[in-house]
Amino acid sequence: MADSGSEDIAVIGNTDLTPSESENNVKNAMVEKGTSLLKKMEISVAEAEKRTGKNAVNMQETYTVYLIETRPVDAASEGTNPVPDSLWRRYSEFELLRNYLLVTYPFLVVPPLPEKRAEFVWHKLSADNMDPDFVERRRVGLENFLLRVASHPDLSSDKIFYSFLTEENGWKETVFETGFQAKADSRLKALNATFRVKNPDKRFAEMKHYGDELQSVISQLLRVRARAADRLYGVYKVHGNYGRVFSEWSAIEKEMGDGLQSAGHHMDAYAASVDDILEEEEHYADQLKEYLFYADALRAVCRKHELTQYELEMAAQDLTSKKQQREELATGTIRTFSLKGVTSKLFGQETPEQREAKLKMLETQIEEGEELVKERNAECEEFVKSAWVDIERFKEQKDHDLREALISYAIMQISMCKKGIQVWNNAKECFSKM
Amino acid sequence: MSGSVVDNTVSSGNSSAAIPTDVSGQILDLDEDDDLEVFSKDTTLTDGSSFNASMQTSPASMINQYKFEEDADTKDIFVTVDNPESHVTAIETYITYRVMTKTTRSEFDSSEFEVRRRYQDFLWLKGRLEEAHPTLIVHPLPEKFVVKGMVERFNEDFIETRRRALHRFLNKIAEHPIFSSSEDFKIFLTAASGELTSHKKQGPGFLSRMGDTVKAVAAAVRGVRNRPQEFTEMQEYVEAFSQKIISLDKVTQRIVREQKEYLEELKECGPTYALWSQSEEELAEPLKNVAGCVDRCCKETEEQVKNLSDHLIPVLHEYVLCADTLKAVLRRRDNIQADFEAKTEALATKKANRDTESKVLSLAWASLVGRSPEEVKQQKLKGEIKEMRDDLDKAEDRLEWANNALKSDWTRWQKVMRTDLRSAFVDTAERNVSYYEKCLAVWESFLHSQRTDAEGNGKVDFS
């Protein structure tokens, strides 16, 4: 317990740590990892505000904007506290940033955004996007997203990301100018590749499968947890009725009155305590949700691999068929069916000049084809290499973060039990004075 | 001394309605035979078969029962109810309970007794006590059968709950200064089944009891005129108390329902964590661990729900019935007073009649014939008036006795109620504390395991 060791032992040993403190430990871990960006600046999403304005089709709409604050690291440590640079962004701009990153770094597991609409809600929690609790949780999620990107060894040095943080006006135009949208793969193309690829890297196939499983099991867990939270809420709140009845009963009793009355207060306190408990649990659910969405990002990388592999295979196949055609033309044997072959049989062979011309064209094509295969092969290898590095990084991050999440869940349960013990001990004392 | 296991006299053991000799199972009024348990038409149940070996009261729980009763140093009688057994006869199946008594009282022939009694017998005892002492408060018996929340009428839980309630009932009787010296009580505790049956028959007959009921109804209709303030206050208290205790009963049942639904959901959490652990490598162990913890918490929650149902709810339920008993007692007292008031009025009327008549008649006839029919009538009136006055005196005595009995028993009842409810709530609070302590330990052991893991693997820095 008295270890002055790494912070994670402090996390485990100190059961009085609140879940948000535990999450801070995750953030600190990100910062300490120390990308060059984070070494320079502190990033936070400090506030959220409602705005109204006209949208693209000139209709009134209400939306929320988030204040991004950046502050040079040195200033904070020197004790001076200059006003941070700040700008406002709305959710759709975050989405735009992420889409750009997805297209530009298809070999990286790009951190996810917090959910667009509230899902896995239990009845008390509002599904309304304008609900202040939802907005607050989203604010935290957006800050988390920025920190994740800023702590990624590759993503943190992206210029568009940097200007997202620092340049309020004209950022959108800058993004569009990169032409990233043109580079995006069509869904159809990707789907086609998934079905037709013959020889994807086994590790990626396994990762994709893992991504599927992770998504499925976390969804199930979130659903079950939400239902259990609903029920637990009911249990606690009904105890509030004890409070009311004890209070009424104490009015007709002489000696029992005081004990009953004070016991009733503790029952009210017990009923009220569930609100905090479930709010903390929502925190835990958010941590799970992040990895639910991360699973998607993981699968995207695997799909991209399938696509590059497929394109390589296509190019190779094309090359092989062209080589075959050349061979047939050179030796005069026609092994493959071709219209030329049929017509030449019917209408006579082509002239040697025509054959020469054709051969020459084929040679060119074959040369180009070999270049293409070489290119694609290099692309594929490059992709596999970088992607696998990032996947390994992601695995480690995931193992660490989820373990921390489980620990914070246990801490939450412990805190809930301690509260319960306190309330019922108090109630017991009051009852014994009845 | 110990009752025979199979009670062959059951067919005529019904204490109220006389049963025709050609009775077949269908004609028996099930309302009267409260423990005519048809829980199983399975006649392979052998005579005296034990219902369930685990129903035996363990020495430990018996000690707990004694602890609850050991408040007075002067306590000289200990009663326990345990060991339910089912009995099968040609026409019915029912359950008997073993009633054991240990006493140092001199009016008992011996210091230890063991008999077997069925629910009917308890009902009989209660009826006798109420008859003999209409304004004393008799602790309620468990109901005939539970209406809500019971799927099978006579499953293990029901029988155990009933057994506990019967045990409490007898102990309340034994602790009552007046009831515990009742002859009926003594016979209940000590007589063999046959003896008890014949003693039961000796009570006031069916017809005389009917007559009492008619009188009581008449009195109730008449109503009481000058109820003393303290009894009115008592009635107001009972009304309010009844409402509160019913509310508490309902709230507690609702809590049990919600807990059960929570448990249903929680039961799915553990397996989901376990499923997840199968896809993971590093995370597999902590996930499996969490799954185990959630499962253990489920077990504890299940036990806690059972505790509420087994301990708090029956006590609250008993006091709901108590409230009804109190209302009945107050009604009976009112009837006794109404009866007294009616007799007072009747006597006054009679006297007034006599006075008017004697004035009119004595002048006219006395000189003529000497002893006249009217004089005979006068004699008769005089006799009637004397009778009525005697009656009235008795009624006055009865009323005074009833009022005093009720007043002192009321004080007594309030003390007992306070003790019972206090200990039931304290008990519940303790169990809740224990529940949370157990869950706390579960999660702390998880944290501990994660900590030792981290140190053991030398994983000081996860990033």
Side-chain angles (χ1 to χ4, degrees), chain A residues 6 210 253 270 284 398 400, chain B residues 237 261 273 280 436 460 462:
Chain A
S6 93
Y210 168 75
E253 297 287 348
Y270 182 72
Y284 170 70
K398 166 201 56 119
H400 172 263
Chain B
Y237 172 85
E261 293 190 352
Y273 281 108
E280 297 286 346
Y436 279 117
V460 170
F462 279 146

Side-chain angles (χ1 to χ4, degrees), chain B residues 422-436:
Chain B
R422 180 202 302 139
S423 76
F425 282 116
V426 166
D427 182 65
T428 301
E430 273 174 2
R431 285 178 203 275
N432 283 343
V433 168
S434 160
Y435 162 73
Y436 279 117

Side-chain angles (χ1 to χ4, degrees), chain A residues 1 3 6 8-9 12-13 15 210 213-214 217-218 220-221 224 227-228 231-232 234-236 238-239 241-242 245-246 248-249 252-253 255-256 270 284 288 396 398-400 402-403 406-407 409-411 413-414 416-418 420-421 424-425 428 431-434, chain B residues 237 240-241 244-245 247-248 251-252 254-255 258-259 261-262 265-266 268-269 272-273 275-276 279-283 286-287 290 294 312 414 417-418 421-422 425-426 428-430 432-433 436-437 439-440 443-444 446-447 450-451 453-455 459-463:
Chain A
M1 278 286 179
D3 292 339
S6 93
D8 81 315
I9 294 210
I12 298 164
T15 62
Y210 168 75
E213 284 180 347
L214 188 66
V217 85
I218 292 187
Q220 189 178 328
L221 191 58
V224 170
R227 285 203 303 260
R231 291 286 157 221
L232 191 65
V235 170
Y236 272 74
V238 176
H239 281 81
N241 286 336
Y242 269 153
V245 179
F246 283 156
E248 291 170 9
W249 183 12
I252 60 171
E253 297 287 348
E255 295 113 348
M256 289 167 77
Y270 182 72
Y284 170 70
L288 292 180
E396 261 192 61
K398 166 201 56 119
D399 285 341
H400 172 263
L402 287 176
R403 196 157 172 288
L406 291 177
I407 288 171
Y409 181 72
I411 292 175
Q413 297 304 305
I414 287 173
M416 178 175 99
C417 289
K418 283 188 177 162
I421 290 173
W424 285 104
N425 268 329
K428 177 178 153 191
F431 285 137
S432 35
K433 294 201 192 110
M434 249 166 80
Chain B
Y237 172 85
F241 175 82
K244 298 311 150 214
I245 205 77
S247 291
L248 284 179
V251 169
T252 311
R254 174 98 187 269
I255 288 178
E258 297 280 344
Q259 287 267 38
E261 293 190 352
Y262 169 63
E265 302 300 343
L266 199 62
E268 296 195 31
C269 273
T272 308
Y273 281 108
L275 179 65
W276 187 359
S279 320
E280 297 286 346
E281 295 159 5
E282 284 295 313
L283 282 178
L287 282 171
V290 167
V294 172
L312 183 57
Q414 286 204 294
M417 179 269 286
R418 188 173 168 200
L421 291 179
R422 180 202 302 139
F425 282 116
V426 166
T428 301
E430 273 174 2
N432 283 343
V433 168
Y436 279 117
E437 281 176 344
C439 289
L440 180 70
W443 289 108
E444 281 192 330
F446 170 76
L447 278 191
Q450 295 307 302
R451 182 176 186 215
D453 240 16
E455 284 175 344
K459 280 198 179 140
V460 170
D461 183 2
F462 279 146
S463 53

Side-chain angles (χ1 to χ4, degrees), chain A residues 48-59:
Chain A
E49 250 182 41
K50 270 210 234 207
R51 298 271 171 86
T52 46
K54 295 237 187 243
N55 66 5
V57 290
N58 215 28
M59 293 189 41

Side-chain angles (χ1 to χ4, degrees), chain B residues 3 22 36-37 44 51 76 90 96 122 127-128 155 171 196 214 222 247-248 254-255 262 267 323 393 432 447:
Chain B
D22 63 335
L36 195 74
E37 280 128 49
T44 63
F51 192 79
D76 54 5
T96 62
F122 287 82
R128 293 286 294 173
N155 62 14
N171 275 280
L196 179 64
V214 169
R222 217 179 293 130
S247 291
L248 284 179
R254 174 98 187 269
I255 288 178
Y262 169 63
K267 277 189 180 156
D393 285 340
N432 283 343
L447 278 191

Side-chain angles (χ1 to χ4, degrees), chain B residues 82-182:
Chain B
D82 59 15
N83 188 237
E85 276 181 8
S86 64
H87 300 262
V88 187
T89 67
I91 46 168
E92 59 172 350
T93 309
Y94 60 93
I95 293 202
T96 62
Y97 303 83
R98 178 176 70 166
V99 177
M100 289 208 309
T101 310
K102 284 188 171 55
T103 179
T104 52
R105 287 189 183 172
S106 50
E107 59 262 31
F108 286 80
D109 295 332
S110 162
S111 62
E112 282 186 34
F113 296 90
E114 184 177 317
V115 296
R116 294 208 73 90
R117 296 285 177 251
R118 54 189 292 190
Y119 181 80
Q120 234 176 46
D121 301 329
F122 287 82
L123 261 186
W124 167 84
L125 175 63
K126 176 166 187 271
R128 293 286 294 173
L129 293 174
E130 281 175 341
E131 254 180 71
H133 312 279
T135 58
L136 290 185
I137 303 164
V138 182
H139 197 71
L141 276 175
E143 281 164 321
K144 297 174 187 183
F145 35 80
V146 181
V147 180
K148 282 185 197 168
M150 273 291 168
V151 179
E152 287 168 41
R153 270 173 72 197
F154 299 105
N155 62 14
E156 271 180 43
D157 284 338
F158 175 80
I159 292 186
E160 176 60 13
T161 308
R162 180 178 264 199
R163 181 199 67 77
R164 287 206 191 105
L166 292 176
H167 175 90
R168 280 196 294 272
F169 169 77
L170 280 187
N171 275 280
K172 290 278 194 290
I173 305 296
E175 286 159 11
H176 195 285
I178 295 180
F179 292 148
S180 69
S181 27
S182 143

